[in-house]
Amino acid sequence: MSSNAIPSNVITPLVNGEARAVPAGSTVGDLLRSLALDPRMVVVEHNRTILRDRSAYDTITLSPADTIEIVHFVGGG
Amino acid sequence: MASNGTGTPVDGQNAIAARLAELPELSNEEVLRYSRHLIIPDVGLTGQRKLKAARVLLIGAGGLGSPLALYLAAAGVGTLGIVDFDTVDFTNLQRQVLHGTSDVGRRKLESARDRILDVNPHTKLELHETFITSANALELVRDYDVVVDGTDNFPTRYLVNDACVLSGKPNVYGSIFRFEGQASIFGTPDGPCYRCLFREPPPPGLVPSCAEGGVLGVLPGLVGVIQATETIKLLLGIGEPLIGRLLLVDALRMQFRTLKLRRDPTCPACGTRELKELIDYEEFCGVRQAAAEALAVGGSIPEITPRELAARLARGDDLDVIDVREPHEWEIARIAGARLIPLATLTEALPTLDSAREIVVHCKGGSRSAKAVQQLRDAGFRKVWNLAGGILRWSDEVDPSVPKY
């Protein structure tokens, strides 16, 4: 999708290194739901800070230039 | 040398240097064996002798432990400690290249010893056939320079992390699931630890293990070799170690990404250091509570054994046998006469079930079907039984032609 095709009500923060279109006003919680991720199975880093309080996910609104890293719990060996 | 008893990290390089002084020169056979190392200026004779003086502890001789042990031994790491209590089984062979078909049924440490000493008879092996626990972990790691985490569960990962932080040992971390892997080095003097990234464990049972969800056979090779590389770099003191960086491996897209990690000043292990001794990690990860709850629920769930079910089917009793596994499991093995309703779709399938008929539910081992029985009972079904031990026990006790997986 070229940048001029992105509607104004959509923002594209970097999620795991790739621009991902989400509706403006989306929270971290909205992003996880759109990815069908259980918040308890991942750690989320928002602009280089790990979010320790999962209950705050729905209160953190994403900005267009935000960087989000979602790291899964992986335990196998 | 190992620990100064205050929990202050000690530089592993100093311990190696002290041992190096007493190490004899390499023999001509060793010079020939390590020739391709000796001609790399960054390794050379000095580096090779450092490897020989080094003591590395591998926790786990499974998927990750296999390439780790083989490559570290081949590279000339002088002393390899290996902690494992397990026995080789057929499901290990798809990825645990340390063990062969003829080793099935042997202790993993025995087959590891044979294989490693064939790769490099100069390797001094210290085999610890035990579970690593809070009671023995500090003792186990004490005499090693580097600890490598090749474990397969969260309680042990937190245990290894905390033991390394308390002892000041670098912890070369790796983990795998399906097509995905992670690697880093935790527990160095200034770097972050596992708890800086994963402060709290996931709820028990939520994150599937490789035994539950599978793993691509080559993935532990990929990640274990990264751990082996980082271990050798640490021992040689060369390059840029994977400290403060989490390497994320995506084998499906063949993408490698690194994520910067910082020590968290509020981390109870390496930040505030309020964690002064090892804790009960099963409790910390909720494993014990979950097992107790499962037992309590299981106790209230009516069961039928495979033999009882076979006898009733042979008599011609009208039973609705429902398999709640996934379609890809159904393709591998099934019980004749059963029909597939994956657990996740059971709720929507309820209208197709007849509560007047007797229903037997099964899965692979009996735990998913126990949940299904509970769901059915909650929905008002009264004549519902769980097949004890699932299709695995059915294969053992009734029909060996059904493959086990």
Side-chain angles (χ1 to χ4, degrees):
Chain A
M1 188 174 4
S2 64
S3 59
N4 58 9
I6 296 172
S8 60
N9 58 345
V10 166
I11 58 169
T12 54
L14 273 187
V15 178
N16 288 357
E18 289 174 10
R20 183 180 172 88
V22 298
S26 293
T27 63
V28 170
D30 293 330
L31 174 66
L32 293 181
R33 279 185 288 276
S34 75
L35 295 166
L37 290 175
D38 184 329
R40 298 169 302 170
M41 291 175 73
V42 294
V43 164
V44 179
E45 192 190 71
H46 179 227
N47 296 334
R48 304 279 324 275
T49 302
I50 293 177
L51 303 176
R52 296 290 177 203
D53 181 8
R54 291 195 171 94
S55 63
Y57 285 177
D58 284 328
T59 66
I60 299 169
T61 306
L62 297 174
S63 299
D66 278 0
T67 302
I68 298 282
E69 294 285 349
I70 302 168
V71 183
H72 288 254
F73 276 99
V74 174
Chain B
M1 42 126 273
S3 168
N4 58 11
T6 63
T8 307
V10 175
D11 184 4
Q13 284 283 328
N14 292 341
I16 296 174
R19 268 179 252 128
L20 201 56
E22 299 174 13
L23 197 73
E25 293 302 321
L26 298 184
S27 68
N28 285 1
E29 192 272 325
E30 288 175 291
V31 169
L32 190 60
R33 173 183 288 269
Y34 303 125
S35 156
R36 299 297 185 275
H37 271 167
L38 302 181
I39 57 180
I40 308 176
D42 287 328
V43 183
L45 204 55
T46 313
Q48 194 63 50
R49 291 183 77 245
K50 271 189 191 173
L51 292 181
K52 188 173 182 179
R55 300 175 50 81
V56 173
L57 183 66
L58 304 181
I59 317 228
L64 294 170
S66 285
L68 275 160
L70 291 171
Y71 274 106
L72 292 178
V77 169
T79 305
L80 274 185
I82 310 181
V83 188
D84 203 296
F85 54 86
D86 212 356
T87 303
V88 181
D89 73 46
F90 276 104
T91 68
N92 300 148
L93 302 177
Q94 156 260 23
R95 66 197 179 285
Q96 301 187 12
V97 295
L98 197 49
H99 316 292
T101 307
S102 60
D103 295 316
V104 169
R106 294 178 81 197
R107 315 297 298 172
K108 283 191 177 172
L109 286 187
E110 279 178 36
S111 93
R113 180 194 57 214
D114 291 353
R115 184 81 183 93
I116 291 166
L117 292 181
D118 189 33
V119 168
N120 189 346
H122 299 284
T123 313
K124 186 166 173 278
L125 286 174
E126 295 177 351
L127 304 176
H128 307 279
E129 189 157 12
T130 176
F131 278 103
I132 183 167
T133 66
S134 300
N136 65 12
L138 293 174
E139 176 85 21
L140 276 170
V141 306
R142 192 185 61 201
D143 294 328
Y144 293 94
D145 306 308
V146 174
V147 175
V148 191
D149 180 354
T151 60
D152 63 359
N153 63 83
F154 292 108
T156 316
R157 290 195 180 277
Y158 281 97
L159 167 63
V160 171
N161 178 74
D162 292 357
C164 286
V165 170
L166 288 173
S167 312
K169 307 287 182 183
N171 167 18
V172 183
Y173 160 79
S175 66
I176 50 170
F177 180 68
R178 291 191 174 165
F179 298 95
E180 199 184 339
Q182 301 178 348
S184 191
I185 300 175
F186 295 125
T188 58
D190 301 313
C193 78
Y194 186 67
R195 284 179 185 252
C196 295
L197 173 62
F198 297 119
R199 175 70 56 89
E200 301 281 333
L206 194 65
V207 178
S209 68
C210 292
E212 292 157 342
V215 62
L216 191 72
V218 298
L219 195 71
L222 207 52
V223 175
V225 163
I226 288 165
Q227 290 176 279
T229 309
E230 290 305 307
T231 302
I232 289 171
K233 282 163 59 190
L234 279 181
L235 298 174
L236 294 175
I238 61 171
E240 291 170 32
L242 203 52
I243 297 169
R245 291 182 292 149
L246 177 70
L247 179 69
L248 301 165
V249 178
D250 177 348
L252 268 189
R253 303 170 81 185
M254 203 43 90
Q255 270 190 350
F256 292 69
R257 301 180 58 236
T258 50
L259 188 61
K260 284 201 172 123
L261 295 178
R262 283 167 298 184
R263 169 170 290 183
D264 184 340
T266 68
C267 171
C270 71
T272 64
R273 294 195 166 268
E274 63 200 73
L275 188 110
K276 302 220 185 305
E277 57 189 22
L278 299 176
I279 58 172
D280 180 338
Y281 292 87
E282 303 264 306
E283 171 105 38
F284 177 59
C285 293
V287 179
R288 208 186 318 285
Q289 301 88 307
E293 281 165 26
L295 202 65
V297 172
S300 67
I301 287 196
E303 288 195 332
I304 182 168
T305 68
R307 287 205 179 97
E308 287 163 356
L309 174 61
R312 295 203 54 189
L313 289 171
R315 264 203 324 254
D317 287 359
D318 177 37
L319 297 171
D320 191 3
V321 182
I322 295 172
D323 181 342
V324 293
R325 298 174 303 150
E326 297 299 311
H328 61 272
E329 297 178 87
W330 167 266
E331 278 184 31
I332 303 167
R334 66 192 80 159
I335 294 176
R339 60 190 182 115
L340 182 67
I341 304 178
L343 183 58
T345 65
L346 184 60
T347 310
E348 53 200 81
L350 282 179
T352 72
L353 300 182
D354 178 0
S355 62
R357 277 181 87 190
E358 292 183 286
I359 298 174
V360 174
V361 188
H362 89 85
C363 62
K364 182 182 179 189
S367 54
R368 276 174 290 176
S369 49
K371 284 182 193 154
V373 170
Q374 190 60 52
Q375 275 186 34
L376 289 170
R377 285 164 64 89
D378 292 346
F381 289 79
R382 284 291 164 266
K383 294 189 274 182
V384 194
W385 286 269
N386 184 25
L387 181 65
I391 197 169
L392 293 180
R393 189 167 155 194
W394 176 270
S395 172
D396 281 337
E397 297 183 2
V398 174
D399 183 0
S401 74
V402 171
K404 295 205 285 182
Y405 62 100

